[in-house]
Amino acid sequence: SQKIEQNSEALNIQEGKTATLTCNYTNYSPAYLQWYRQDPGRGPVFLLLIRENEKEKRKERLKVTFDTTLKQSLFHITASQPADSATYLCAPGGQTGANNLFFGTGTRLTVIP
Amino acid sequence: SAVISQKPSRDICQRGTSLTIQCQVDSQVTMMFWYRQQPGQSLTLIATANQGSEATYESGFVIDKFPISRPNLTFSTLTVSNMSPEDSSIYLCSAGVGAHEKLFFGSGTQLSVL
């Protein structure tokens, strides 16, 4: 069955450093992969989408890579700030044309001032 | 983009009763989805709410327990039937906009069953 795993449940880093989150998937051939941010008591908010034919995508301090051979995506936040503290979710999608999204286990990031 | 209003935001219910959660989108959308998020966990897809046809349920979820309505392109409801404490969770409505790839979420309904 499909499995989507994110590297760690929780990640603490110092302000100003780069946070790197990992998403691994198995039994899956996604056409794209999305990253979402979720704050406590709120629904997830879309951040970035990267397609299978793209190696890297950037948006401001965010960078996402997608390696379909390794079945892995890396999500980087550079120059991290305490306001970046949240749970980050990956979601591979578009398999066999389906539009529904399945989410990874999530990584709770805490940026320490 | 889309703004999704979900209500109630929270409720405390007695075992054996049912609760209907409403989800309103501020624009017409083709795809709507219902997720469950148990405490400290990630999101689990319950079903896809299809306009004009029956919802498509994921493994482990059945229509008798989670009936879904989708009367038009902006509205959907999820009912949690015959509730037990195991149903205590956050229920989230979402909609796919444009090419349906990106999802917008409501703020969720926090359900506690006593």
Side-chain angles (χ1 to χ4, degrees), chain B residues 5-32:
Chain B
S5 304
Q6 193 175 330
K7 59 180 182 181
S9 58
R10 60 180 66 233
D11 207 341
I12 300 172
C13 300
Q14 294 296 320
R15 181 195 297 259
T17 62
S18 297
L19 175 73
T20 296
I21 302 167
Q22 298 181 5
C23 179
Q24 178 76 52
V25 188
D26 69 343
S27 58
Q28 293 187 338
V29 294
T30 309
M31 310 295 287
M32 292 183 75

Side-chain angles (χ1 to χ4, degrees), chain A residues 34 38 46 51 101 104, chain B residues 35 37 42 58 101-103:
Chain A
Q34 301 185 37
Q38 186 174 26
F46 171 83
R51 299 185 190 281
L101 272 187
Chain B
Y35 288 85
Q37 187 171 30
S42 188
E58 297 300 318
E101 296 166 336
K102 179 165 65 174
L103 292 186

Side-chain angles (χ1 to χ4, degrees), chain B:
Chain B
S1 67
V3 176
I4 300 178
S5 304
Q6 193 175 330
K7 59 180 182 181
S9 58
R10 60 180 66 233
D11 207 341
I12 300 172
C13 300
Q14 294 296 320
R15 181 195 297 259
T17 62
S18 297
L19 175 73
T20 296
I21 302 167
Q22 298 181 5
C23 179
Q24 178 76 52
V25 188
D26 69 343
S27 58
Q28 293 187 338
V29 294
T30 309
M31 310 295 287
M32 292 183 75
F33 307 95
W34 287 96
Y35 288 85
R36 182 171 74 183
Q37 187 171 30
Q38 294 180 307
Q41 304 291 314
S42 188
L43 283 72
T44 301
L45 180 64
I46 298 172
T48 301
N50 303 308
Q51 197 269 329
S53 63
E54 206 168 272
T56 305
Y57 290 83
E58 297 300 318
S59 175
F61 297 97
V62 295
I63 187 170
D64 289 346
K65 176 67 176 176
F66 298 101
I68 287 171
S69 81
R70 180 87 195 272
N72 56 51
L73 291 174
T74 64
F75 188 76
S76 178
T77 66
L78 169 76
T79 298
V80 186
S81 303
N82 189 23
M83 288 184 284
S84 66
E86 291 72 37
D87 295 320
S88 297
S89 191
I90 297 172
Y91 292 85
L92 290 152
C93 164
S94 70
V97 178
H100 315 139
E101 296 166 336
K102 179 165 65 174
L103 292 186
F104 293 87
F105 284 84
S107 290
T109 296
Q110 182 157 356
L111 171 62
S112 297
V113 183
L114 305 177

Side-chain angles (χ1 to χ4, degrees), chain A:
Chain A
S1 62
Q2 298 161 352
K3 210 170 181 185
I4 306 163
E5 289 181 319
Q6 294 185 235
N7 59 322
S8 53
E9 225 175 271
L11 179 66
N12 297 332
I13 64 164
Q14 210 66 40
E15 181 176 6
K17 301 289 186 188
T18 295
T20 298
L21 285 63
T22 305
C23 175
N24 294 292
Y25 57 91
T26 54
N27 298 324
Y28 225 133
S29 297
Y32 51 83
L33 191 142
Q34 301 185 37
W35 284 89
Y36 287 76
R37 168 184 172 139
Q38 186 174 26
D39 291 286
R42 316 283 289 191
V45 174
F46 171 83
L47 294 175
L48 278 170
L49 180 153
I50 185 166
R51 299 185 190 281
E52 60 181 338
N53 60 349
E54 297 174 313
K55 287 274 191 270
E56 184 180 294
K57 200 84 168 273
R58 290 175 187 262
K59 180 183 175 185
E60 297 171 356
R61 294 185 294 110
L62 308 180
K63 184 178 91 172
V64 173
T65 63
F66 192 13
D67 189 325
T68 55
T69 302
L70 289 178
K71 293 186 180 294
Q72 181 182 80
S73 175
L74 298 180
F75 177 81
H76 307 272
I77 305 175
T78 58
S80 59
Q81 304 166 0
D84 295 326
S85 298
T87 296
Y88 292 86
L89 303 160
C90 72
Q95 180 168 257
T96 64
N99 293 312
N100 47 357
L101 272 187
F102 297 91
F103 285 82
T105 47
T107 296
R108 188 173 65 252
L109 173 68
T110 302
V111 180
I112 303 163

